[in-house]
Amino acid sequence: MIRRAGRWSLLAAGAALIAAPAAADEELDPFELSPEQLFGAEVISASRTSESIWEAPAAIYVVTSADIERSGATTIAETLRLVPGVQVARINTSGWAVSVRGFNSALANKLLVLVDGRETYDPLFSGVYWDVQDTALEDIDRIEVIRGPGATLWGANAVNGVINIITRRAEETQGALLSASAGDVERAVVTARYGGRLGDNVHWRIYGRAFDRAAQESLAGGSDHSAWEAWRSGLRADIALDARNELTVQGEIYHSETGQMRLVGALAPPYASLQNEEIVAEGGHLMGRWTHETSDDGRLVAQAYFDLTRRNQALLEDRRTTFDLDVQYEFPTIGARHDLIAGIRYRNSADRVTETELITSPHRTHETQLLSAFAQDEIRLSEAWRLTVGSKFDDNDYSGFEIQPSARLQWMGADQTVWASVSRAVRSPSELEREFNIILAAGEIFGTLATIEILPSPGFDSESLTAYELGYRRQWNEALAMDVALFRNEYEDLATLSTLAPFVASDPTRIVLAPILTTNSSSAETQGGEIVFEWAARDNLNLSLAWSVLDLDVDGPPAPLAIDSEIAEGQSPNSQATLRAEWDASERWSLDGALYYVDELPAFQVERYIRADVRVGYQLTANASVELIGQNLFDNQHREFTNPSEANAAEITRSVFGRLTWRH
Amino acid sequence: MATLIRVLLALALVLGGAVVAPARAQEGVRLVEQDIKAGLLYNFLRYTEWPERRAPTPTVVVCVYGRDPFNGRLAPMSGRTVNGQAIRVRFVDAEAEIDGCSMLIVNAEERARWPALRAHLVRRNVLTVSDYEGFARAGGMIEFTRVDNRIGVRLNLAAAQAADLVVQDRLIRLASVVESERP
């Protein structure tokens, strides 16, 4: 019997507290198994994740692999729509604006995204290039999203939230997998993976993935030229060196080509031309992780990776090499009360930018180093009360020494838990802000070249956040779980584009009509919350409702000194809601639906929209399944982000595709 | 047209594979967490030697201190035999009731009571089990752990030996041996 219901992680977590039997894959009698089989048995259910959700004093949401499959999402960015409090706005086929709890932009910089512990943020602009975040989605174990500052355990960019994409271990992805999708926008997506083993101690897998996606509709009608072709290949090996030591090696290489319409400036007439910008990105990384359990129950994890990227766009070409070494130690429980974890980290990121007329820098290469240490103690005050205190200490080349402390208090009852926290987080300056001169527009005045430019701002310092959060989780009964998180974020020293008086510059000789300096002159407050209900309405029917609200209030210096702060306020929606249903209609048929509501974005004149996705799945044989997926069914197209006057403004179209998956 | 061909090709590939490929081989045992732990406890009963009693009893009593941490999955063990004895599972919530137990499973919620329980169990031959972190270091004999998707066991052999219990090699090899924390 093939049961495909994925138990949502919150429900699975809470239900495990109450006597809720989970469905086992086989009807095996554990009392008939040998000890060797039992020690080697794989645990069904995301129970470890579940424990970490239920007991975590933070606003955490886990997207399970079943969620990914049944939502029909085909990219990592799209899977994040499932998460309450996360704003996902699709710009075009290969571009997204993703943020948590506000401050969304195409260059959103307050979010940290990790893949198996490897940071994906680019120090050039302190953000994430979503067109190169991809992997075999079928081999993702889960995506953990923490809303709120995760700064104490992760990086100096984890200001509004942390997204941690965790892939499955090699022993869980043995055998062959082949998945092929074809449709109108998702023209072709193929993933092939094979996993094997060498003896009992080494498990490995290798995969390849390629896709070809169609462009979206430009506002004037016709293609917006954002068609996207990419391929990626990767491997993973998990090696059990002995009972206490394990080594994991992972690597990937990729190549992506896409494009968009862009108004490209120039320093000679006609000063601006509409071009079909080609964006080529390629790279690879290699990572090793060693886990060692000490004889007194401590756990040491050391991880190192090399990451190479090269990105070529009309405005710049950037080649970057990153080396990162991270060592963490979980102390054995001290006095049955203290769970200490501490770590140090060194990161070196160097890039070489090929300049263009419009983007220049006094230095052609930039190297930034970061030395970081953290410590956290989880103190069991009593059976029901837990206090977690910790801090991260960073020393980075741009802003020097920073401290990011955090304190969390939690009370745990039999089927409910309350937590509260106060934390500080910083967003360190990016290379673009500190070192680059960017000419935004050029023209001619009185026969002389005149420009509007953003100057390098060596005085620009880190932005900071103090976050106050409160959360409540309750398992109402076996079938209904609820999770509420409230927050108030106070931001200071936010990046502000402050205009100065015009001056004359040379090389080339020009009048800088509107010189812009990036300063730390704005502050802001956001407050809001998210609530999630998960309901196992029937044995074969799961329903989920998530609703989030956000109120963003920016205090910048008044215009004309600064760019209008109302724009920042109007770039994130005031509310979002998601309603999902997963139904195992019969042994072979499964039906899933999702409704997403996103409120308007006044800054971009984007209207509120409701998006409907449907997936119909049919299990052909024990090994093969076929699915029909429709996305954006209500609307044949709507715009989700960017000003209508922008060259790359596009309407996201309806997408229908079929997918065949075969496993052996 | 290109799309249609792509779909047909993919379909042919997959269906062809489905027809030709043999049935999916069992990839390994997959069980619910509590089932694995229950199975392991049954094996600990099987591969542990209790000291010979003057009057051997026909039953071996497994006691659970606190609420049932197995969500009912241990109950099927009741009535099974191990080493010629019938297993009985009992729920207790007072120290006085744990006389006569051969194995005592302490619910993690009761961890604050463990020091008192341990003191009470001195010189009784009771195999103690729990699944909260630190149990083995605090003198418990079997501590269930979970790393990613596998259940493991921390075995405090010295504590078992102090209670005159001999755990066979077959289980020691599979477990991770730890020592009690020095006070």
Side-chain angles (χ1 to χ4, degrees):
Chain A
M1 181 177 77
I2 300 146
R3 273 268 157 232
R4 317 252 291 126
R7 276 255 112 176
W8 279 315
S9 38
L10 176 63
L11 201 48
L17 298 180
I18 303 182
D25 216 17
E26 331 271 349
E27 291 308 316
L28 276 178
D29 185 355
F31 303 114
E32 298 289 329
L33 299 174
S34 71
E36 291 78 11
Q37 283 178 302
L38 288 163
F39 274 101
E42 185 194 325
V43 181
I44 298 176
S45 95
S47 173
R48 180 164 191 249
T49 312
S50 309
E51 274 153 33
S52 63
I53 295 177
W54 194 261
E55 298 190 352
I60 178 169
Y61 187 88
V62 175
V63 179
T64 63
S65 60
D67 287 334
I68 296 174
E69 185 187 337
R70 298 188 70 154
S71 69
T74 56
T75 60
I76 289 176
E78 289 286 322
T79 63
L80 300 172
R81 284 188 200 266
L82 300 171
V83 186
V86 175
Q87 288 87 46
V88 177
R90 190 165 197 171
I91 297 171
N92 53 27
T93 296
S94 56
W96 282 267
V98 181
S99 188
V100 176
R101 293 181 171 170
F103 288 104
N104 203 7
S105 96
L107 304 176
N109 58 21
K110 296 182 183 27
L111 173 65
L112 178 66
V113 181
L114 302 159
V115 181
D116 288 330
R118 177 181 54 92
E119 287 195 357
T120 59
Y121 109 110
D122 193 314
L124 183 70
F125 66 103
S126 291
V128 176
Y129 289 117
W130 287 100
D131 60 352
V132 294
Q133 305 311 319
D134 190 25
T135 188
L137 295 187
E138 293 83 355
D139 287 341
I140 293 181
D141 182 44
R142 63 193 187 275
I143 300 179
E144 294 181 350
V145 180
I146 298 188
R147 289 108 61 201
T152 301
L153 276 194
W154 287 282
N157 238 50
V159 176
N160 278 15
V162 182
I163 295 179
N164 197 0
I165 297 153
I166 299 164
T167 62
R168 291 193 161 129
R169 296 173 54 83
E171 54 223 54
E172 292 164 26
T173 55
Q174 297 284 288
L177 176 129
L178 182 65
S179 153
S181 310
D184 51 7
V185 177
E186 301 281 325
R187 282 199 289 238
V189 183
V190 179
T191 305
R193 176 259 285 155
Y194 186 75
R197 58 201 290 208
L198 301 170
D200 272 337
N201 294 336
V202 179
H203 295 85
W204 57 269
R205 73 160 172 267
I206 175 170
Y207 83 89
R209 178 170 161 91
F211 59 77
D212 175 4
R213 298 189 160 117
Q216 306 293 329
E217 276 286 305
S218 77
L219 296 194
S223 163
D224 73 345
H225 296 278
S226 66
W228 187 18
E229 276 175 30
W231 62 261
R232 179 177 291 255
S233 180
L235 71 82
R236 175 173 174 148
D238 291 304
I239 303 160
L241 299 168
D242 60 43
R244 290 185 194 281
N245 289 288
E246 185 186 57
L247 181 64
T248 298
V249 177
Q250 288 175 263
E252 277 185 347
I253 49 172
Y254 63 87
H255 178 95
S256 157
E257 284 182 25
T258 181
Q260 59 182 358
M261 297 306 294
R262 188 191 270 275
L263 204 61
V264 179
L267 297 182
Y271 297 112
S273 57
L274 196 61
Q275 280 182 29
N276 184 357
E277 176 187 25
E278 270 186 25
I279 303 172
V280 178
E282 54 192 9
H285 65 262
L286 184 63
M287 178 162 76
R289 179 167 56 242
W290 173 51
T291 308
H292 171 68
E293 308 236 347
T294 62
S295 59
D296 56 356
D297 277 3
R299 192 154 177 255
L300 179 74
V301 181
Q303 174 175 287
Y305 66 83
F306 262 106
D307 192 305
L308 300 163
T309 62
R310 176 175 157 188
R311 193 177 181 87
N312 200 340
Q313 294 186 228
L315 292 183
L316 61 79
E317 182 186 331
D318 191 19
R319 290 172 187 255
R320 179 175 295 280
T321 309
T322 304
F323 171 70
D324 191 303
L325 172 64
D326 183 327
V327 181
Q328 289 188 10
Y329 184 59
E330 283 174 39
F331 289 76
T333 309
I334 301 173
R337 274 186 193 289
H338 294 264
D339 277 310
L340 263 173
I341 177 170
I344 56 168
R345 180 161 166 245
Y346 172 72
R347 182 180 209 251
N348 182 316
S349 186
D351 75 323
R352 193 167 75 213
V353 176
T354 302
E355 299 177 344
T356 61
E357 274 186 329
L358 303 177
I359 299 191
T360 57
S361 155
H363 312 286
R364 195 152 171 254
T365 61
H366 315 89
E367 185 177 331
T368 50
Q369 291 184 96
L370 169 71
L371 188 60
S372 172
F374 78 86
Q376 176 182 279
D377 190 6
E378 192 185 290
I379 308 166
R380 192 186 316 279
L381 300 171
S382 75
E383 191 53 47
W385 289 90
R386 220 181 271 190
L387 174 68
T388 307
V389 287
S391 181
K392 193 167 194 85
F393 309 91
D394 281 343
D395 188 7
N396 78 58
D397 282 350
Y398 284 147
S399 50
F401 187 66
E402 315 251 32
I403 302 182
Q404 299 173 81
S406 156
R408 296 171 188 265
L409 184 63
Q410 184 177 25
W411 175 81
M412 289 184 291
D415 51 14
Q416 53 187 336
T417 175
V418 186
W419 59 269
S421 79
V422 179
S423 335
R424 179 173 188 265
V426 298
R427 197 275 290 180
S428 37
S430 70
E431 284 178 22
L432 274 179
E433 282 159 337
R434 292 281 286 233
E435 310 206 32
F436 279 82
N437 198 78
I438 304 169
I439 297 178
L440 293 178
E444 202 173 286
I445 286 197
F446 315 126
T448 319
L449 179 64
T451 61
I452 299 176
E453 20 191 291
I454 302 182
L455 310 177
S457 311
F460 179 66
D461 215 342
S462 296
E463 301 178 328
S464 79
L465 160 68
T466 306
Y468 305 90
E469 298 177 82
L470 190 60
Y472 176 63
R473 268 175 217 118
R474 176 132 184 199
Q475 184 79 23
W476 291 95
N477 57 50
E478 232 172 74
L480 181 62
M482 176 181 88
D483 191 335
V484 184
L486 304 171
F487 68 92
R488 181 182 163 83
N489 287 352
E490 292 175 359
Y491 297 89
E492 271 170 20
D493 301 325
L494 288 177
T496 314
L497 301 180
S498 309
T499 48
L500 310 175
F503 66 93
V504 174
S506 61
D507 191 29
T509 309
R510 62 195 187 277
I511 301 173
V512 185
L513 265 189
I516 300 171
L517 202 64
T518 311
T519 58
N520 301 89
S521 322
S522 296
S523 57
E525 275 144 28
T526 58
Q527 45 199 13
E530 299 100 19
I531 182 166
V532 180
F533 286 98
E534 285 177 6
W535 180 31
R538 296 243 170 72
D539 218 14
N540 59 354
L541 176 63
N542 284 345
L543 298 172
S544 146
L545 172 67
W547 184 46
S548 46
V549 290
L550 171 70
D551 178 40
L552 170 56
D553 195 9
V554 179
D555 289 318
L561 269 185
I563 305 299
D564 197 347
S565 62
E566 269 178 36
I567 291 179
E569 287 173 10
Q571 281 185 195
S572 299
N574 279 356
S575 65
Q576 291 186 157
T578 306
L579 180 63
R580 287 167 62 203
E582 283 183 1
W583 180 34
D584 288 337
S586 78
E587 253 182 50
R588 290 186 181 259
W589 287 97
S590 56
L591 184 63
D592 307 309
L595 278 175
Y596 301 92
Y597 165 73
V598 180
D599 204 356
E600 58 173 2
L601 303 181
F604 296 135
Q605 297 152 53
V606 169
E607 290 173 4
R608 68 181 70 149
Y609 67 87
I610 295 183
R611 166 178 156 152
D613 291 1
V614 170
R615 173 193 161 277
V616 180
Y618 181 69
Q619 194 75 23
L620 288 167
T621 70
N623 293 355
S625 67
V626 63
E627 301 162 280
L628 183 64
I629 295 162
Q631 298 175 331
N632 233 347
L633 292 174
F634 282 174
D635 214 338
N636 65 339
Q637 57 198 52
H638 67 267
R639 186 165 50 89
E640 293 184 11
F641 211 69
T642 65
N643 249 307
S645 58
E646 291 270 350
N648 68 346
E651 304 226 322
I652 309 302
T653 60
R654 179 183 299 146
S655 163
V656 179
F657 62 95
R659 179 162 70 193
L660 284 156
T661 308
W662 173 70
R663 287 179 159 90
H664 172 53
Chain B
M1 186 58 189
T3 307
L4 183 61
I5 292 176
R6 260 193 279 266
V7 173
L8 285 175
L9 267 171
L11 196 66
L13 195 74
V14 168
L15 284 182
V19 164
V20 166
R24 176 171 70 170
Q26 182 132 326
E27 278 180 356
V29 172
R30 298 181 68 231
L31 285 170
V32 174
E33 180 170 342
Q34 290 93 339
D35 272 346
I36 299 176
K37 290 177 178 172
L40 285 172
L41 284 179
Y42 180 74
N43 278 282
F44 270 100
L45 285 175
R46 210 156 138 213
Y47 296 111
T48 303
E49 287 164 29
W50 272 260
E52 286 199 14
R53 290 188 199 205
R54 267 169 274 130
T57 56
T59 59
V60 56
V61 182
V62 172
C63 302
V64 179
Y65 189 85
R67 293 194 311 169
D68 181 6
F70 288 92
N71 294 333
R73 299 225 160 214
L74 194 63
M77 202 163 80
S78 240
R80 285 189 164 255
T81 50
V82 67
N83 296 340
Q85 290 175 300
I87 303 175
R88 260 190 63 211
V89 178
R90 245 177 44 204
F91 293 91
V92 300
D93 51 22
E95 279 163 27
E97 296 176 52
I98 62 181
D99 302 342
C101 300
S102 296
M103 175 185 272
L104 181 68
I105 302 165
V106 182
N107 189 317
E109 291 171 352
E110 306 290 338
R111 76 187 82 197
R113 308 281 292 273
W114 169 240
L117 279 174
R118 190 184 59 211
H120 187 82
L121 291 169
V122 166
R123 270 190 282 283
R124 290 174 212 276
N125 320 109
V126 182
L127 187 59
T128 53
V129 181
S130 189
D131 61 1
Y132 68 88
E133 187 152 351
F135 180 67
R137 302 256 295 146
M141 295 167 203
I142 297 172
E143 178 188 328
F144 284 122
T145 61
R146 176 147 177 200
V147 181
D148 282 341
N149 269 10
R150 297 278 188 279
I151 300 296
V153 165
R154 288 191 186 125
L155 187 58
N156 189 332
L157 261 188
Q161 280 158 12
D164 264 338
L165 300 169
V166 179
V167 179
Q168 288 182 23
D169 254 352
R170 185 173 182 182
L171 292 180
I172 299 179
R173 252 183 286 128
L174 294 166
S176 165
V177 178
V178 298
E179 292 168 3
S180 294
E181 196 177 23
R182 306 248 162 277

